[in-house]
Amino acid sequence: MAVEMAYSELAAPVDLNHPGHYVHWGVVQISVANLVVIGLMVLVFVAAVLLPFPKGRGRR
Amino acid sequence: MSDSASPSGNATRDAKRVGGWTGAARRYAVRTLPPEKLLPDTQPAYMASWIYVFGVLTVSSLIVAVATGCVLALEGPGWWHASSVGKYVNSLHLWSVELFMFFMVIHLWGKFFMAAWRGRRAMTWMTGAVCFLASVGTAFTGYLVQQNFDSQWISGQAKDGLNAVGIGAWFNVLDFGQMLMWHIVLLPLVLGLLTAWHVLLVRRRGIVPPIDALAPEPDEQSAATAVQP
Ligand code: HEM
């Protein structure tokens, strides 16, 4: 029981033991996992452009 | 030569184009990448933006991917498939690559919207673009050498595409040994050399100013860096 607990705590946060989920949009077909990664990249890109950069030394 | 002991003597030697190919190579290296440019102590104020950090994040995750890959190579598949430390290092290898691609794409978007190929930076852009292609190939061959059903399925699908474009007989995705060699020898070598070239080009040209900004006046820089190669 204790061992099972330890394993379940270490288990992947998403259950991967099934075929992936896909979205279909006309001829476009993409897995939800890839879509999430693209969404995260867009978010991080927007954050990188908008968030202020801490002031540093040694700049002209 | 008697005059080589004094600094002016060295200058004379450099001006005289003596020293054979080693002298010529040194003069070329110092001219294109003087130490102040190679390892600068200041950067223009417009670099104070998070978007400029993504190139270095890409380099950092590449270093982790290569280092963990070297550990995998030292220990072998029996270790990375079966032992828990092996699986952990295998995971570090996978996730550093995930981050590498993630950071590289944001870097690419940033450079695209800045039109960062301006100001004689076309080669920086092109080496970056080829880095991207080489990374896709490295990741692909990495998936092919997992030795599991995933890699079997991926190579089964890929072989039809590669046969259709006519390179399947030479680049054979079902040939495990060949794919392993591409993954751990050829492509990392190409990627490493391209990345070094890419970063040295950035040092040589300085970082690109935002579209409406002016680069710092040449006379604000040291005399050595003011000369445009
Ligand atoms: C192996 C992948 C890559 C690595 C390690 C890398 C690394 C770097 C680094 C460290 C810089 C310095 C400035 C900065 O970070 O913003 C840089 C600049 C640059 N990168 Fe990359 N890069 C990679 C891929 C790419 C790709 C895919 C492109 C676009 C096709 C690209 C285009 C550029 C350009 C145009 C610059 C010059 C920008 C400037 O002068 O400020 N790079 N890169």
Side-chain angles (χ1 to χ4, degrees):
Chain A
M1 188 58 195
V3 176
E4 266 172 40
M5 281 294 288
Y7 272 116
S8 66
E9 275 158 27
L10 285 175
V14 181
D15 180 13
L16 298 171
N17 279 321
H18 56 74
H21 299 289
Y22 281 78
V23 288
H24 306 262
W25 189 43
V27 293
V28 179
Q29 176 194 325
I30 187 167
S31 71
V32 172
N34 282 341
L35 201 60
V36 167
V37 171
I38 294 171
L40 284 176
M41 288 191 301
V42 173
L43 274 181
V44 174
F45 178 76
V46 171
V49 171
L50 295 183
L51 288 183
F53 193 78
K55 281 206 168 63
R57 285 166 295 129
R59 281 199 199 86
R60 279 181 259 136
Chain B
M1 257 196 189
S2 57
D3 65 351
S4 64
S6 68
S8 62
N10 277 332
T12 326
R13 278 174 69 87
D14 279 353
K16 275 188 197 154
R17 301 177 160 271
V18 292
W21 71 267
T22 46
R26 183 192 64 241
R27 281 189 296 274
Y28 173 79
V30 172
R31 198 171 357 104
T32 33
L33 270 175
E36 306 82 0
K37 276 196 175 186
L38 190 60
L39 297 168
D41 23 40
T42 57
Q43 288 287 357
Y46 49 69
M47 206 191 75
S49 159
W50 285 110
I51 200 66
Y52 282 101
V53 174
F54 284 85
V56 163
L57 286 176
T58 314
V59 181
S60 316
S61 27
L62 178 62
I63 290 172
V64 177
V66 171
T68 50
C70 289
V71 178
L72 295 179
L74 281 172
E75 300 288 344
W79 179 75
W80 81 64
H81 281 314
S83 80
S84 48
V85 180
K87 285 180 190 169
Y88 176 69
V89 175
N90 197 161
S91 303
L92 284 181
H93 189 64
L94 170 75
W95 285 102
S96 58
V97 172
E98 301 275 343
L99 288 176
F100 169 73
M101 295 305 247
F102 192 99
F103 294 143
M104 181 168 35
V105 168
I106 295 173
H107 176 67
L108 192 162
W109 287 344
K111 298 305 155 193
F112 176 78
F113 287 113
M114 264 196 271
W117 50 80
R118 285 170 297 134
R120 309 188 65 206
R121 290 177 180 82
M123 192 53 97
T124 319
W125 174 266
M126 287 189 280
T127 48
V130 181
C131 271
F132 183 78
L133 293 180
S135 313
V136 171
T138 315
F140 172 59
T141 50
Y143 287 122
L144 294 181
V145 297
Q146 291 175 103
Q147 300 168 295
N148 58 14
F149 287 129
D150 254 9
S151 55
Q152 211 174 61
W153 190 85
I154 295 168
S155 50
Q157 300 296 307
K159 95 179 171 349
D160 294 337
L162 293 169
N163 286 343
V165 294
I167 59 168
W170 170 66
F171 184 82
N172 182 358
V173 288
L174 298 179
D175 183 342
F176 175 81
Q178 190 190 19
M179 291 307 109
L180 184 64
M181 288 304 180
W182 276 83
H183 182 69
I184 71 174
V185 181
L186 298 177
L187 288 168
L189 188 68
V190 168
L191 198 52
L193 291 176
L194 279 171
T195 303
W197 186 11
H198 185 76
V199 174
L200 288 179
L201 280 170
V202 175
R203 286 300 202 210
R204 182 177 175 188
R205 303 268 180 247
I207 59 156
V208 72
I211 283 174
D212 287 332
L214 293 170
E217 288 296 316
D219 58 17
E220 284 177 27
Q221 304 176 358
S222 73
T225 56
V227 186
Q228 272 295 320

